[in-house]
Amino acid sequence: MSAHIAVVTDSTSCLPENLATQWGIGVVQVQLHVGDQTDDEHRFDRNGLVEAMRTGTPVSTSPPDPGAFFWTYQDAVAAGASAVVSLHISGRLSDTVLAAREAAQQIRVPVHILDSGTSSMSLGFAVVSAARVAGAGGQLARVLDAAERRVRGSTELIYVDTLEYLRRSGRIGAAQSLLGSAFSIKPLLTVRNGEVSPLARVPGARRALGRLVDLAANAAGDQQVDLAVTRFGSDEREVVRRLKERIPNIGDLLVGDASTVIGAHIGPGALSITVSPVN
């Protein structure tokens, strides 16, 4: 972590472990419940979770205990941090930010809690931007500004095979309007105003993923963007190939797994694209 300003997030940021380590980012694990088992989400086998969801095993999630945030913040202080910037999943999707705020009250250095209003790599890219500024010795205002600008500029585009898992978890938000579509109609979603919102309904998975790439290309335009493709029990290779063909000015391109907590809500077969302008 930075000697002056530490940066902390939660596991729904989908940060690759090497990036979190490289930039000294503290990652607090959201809790996953599968059947009668409860643990930090990274301890669950991803393939096992997919199988459990497909066979109807009860799956749910909950925010970290405030104690997990407390000890992460304490570790940052012990390492020399004079302040902490803590960025988290939208408060309309999870109470994680509330747990962070509760823990922050017990820390002797300032802890600045940011509700990102989003999740996944839209959050992850903002966290990395904040950590880069902090690592370069940037002042608190610059660290906060880097995170906020990145969140505002990012676009989260989501394909789900079915809305059933979002409905079960209560995270369906404005995408409720898409329920009742024919089985062959695939929903495309985004995160807007802190909640899951509908974008389009497209017949067939292949066409829907093609439309997702179109939306990503439109969001990117000619500006330089970082991209992330995250999957949960899906094959991302064709989407990545098309993105490389359609978007002319790609900075970083990250391909990886969605966090298991996000997967528990969007369901097997889901895939998302994050478009984040470089600023």
Side-chain angles (χ1 to χ4, degrees):
M1 292 186 178
S2 166
H4 301 290
I5 299 173
V7 176
V8 173
T9 190
D10 61 75
S11 51
T12 66
S13 60
C14 299
L15 278 180
E17 186 176 352
N18 65 314
L19 266 185
T21 300
Q22 177 184 353
W23 294 106
I25 298 164
V27 180
V28 178
Q29 294 290 314
V30 178
Q31 298 293 288
L32 184 62
H33 314 278
V34 181
D36 59 0
Q37 182 183 1
T38 297
D39 210 334
D40 293 349
E41 68 157 301
H42 76 287
R43 297 184 185 278
F44 283 86
D45 174 72
R46 188 172 306 275
N47 293 332
L49 175 60
V50 168
E51 182 61 23
M53 295 178 73
R54 285 179 168 155
T55 56
T57 301
V59 174
S60 61
T61 65
S62 61
D65 185 89
F69 281 108
F70 174 82
W71 289 113
T72 301
Y73 298 153
Q74 283 289 84
D75 287 346
V77 174
S82 59
V84 178
V85 171
S86 199
L87 296 87
H88 300 292
I89 183 175
S90 168
R92 299 185 72 175
L93 297 174
S94 169
D95 286 337
T96 293
V97 72
L98 299 182
R101 287 173 179 151
E102 182 178 336
Q105 296 173 8
Q106 305 172 59
I107 305 300
R108 62 181 174 83
V109 304
V111 180
H112 301 267
I113 309 293
L114 276 70
D115 179 341
S116 71
T118 188
S119 67
S120 193
M121 279 302 298
S122 287
L123 170 58
F125 281 131
V127 171
V128 172
S129 288
R132 283 174 173 160
V133 173
Q139 298 299 305
L140 176 63
R142 290 190 58 219
V143 175
L144 292 170
D145 181 64
E148 290 169 348
R149 282 189 292 114
R150 203 73 191 267
V151 164
R152 286 195 303 269
S154 293
T155 301
E156 199 70 25
L157 303 167
I158 307 163
Y159 163 86
V160 294
D161 199 47
T162 172
L163 289 167
E164 178 61 20
Y165 298 101
L166 281 166
R167 185 195 64 78
R168 290 180 191 174
S169 68
R171 268 61 169 199
I172 196 166
Q176 177 86 23
S177 63
L178 298 182
L179 282 174
S181 299
F183 180 76
S184 62
I185 300 296
K186 301 301 181 182
L188 302 182
L189 311 170
T190 189
V191 179
R192 184 180 294 128
N193 298 323
E195 68 175 11
V196 177
S197 298
L199 279 178
R201 292 180 289 186
V202 183
R206 184 174 179 82
R207 288 184 182 179
L209 289 169
R211 179 72 178 277
L212 202 71
V213 171
D214 291 341
L215 291 167
N218 290 340
D222 294 328
Q223 61 191 328
Q224 185 179 19
V225 296
D226 291 335
L227 298 177
V229 178
T230 54
R231 74 242 159 171
F232 186 68
S234 56
D235 187 340
E236 81 292 345
R237 288 173 292 183
E238 178 66 13
V239 167
V240 171
R241 184 188 66 79
R242 291 188 189 183
L243 287 171
K244 289 178 178 178
E245 290 178 349
R246 295 288 306 281
I247 298 178
N249 200 357
I250 300 174
D252 291 331
L253 173 56
L254 303 179
V255 180
D257 292 314
S259 85
T260 51
V261 158
I262 289 179
H265 296 299
I266 59 178
L271 182 144
S272 70
I273 302 171
T274 305
V275 182
S276 187
V278 177
N279 48 38

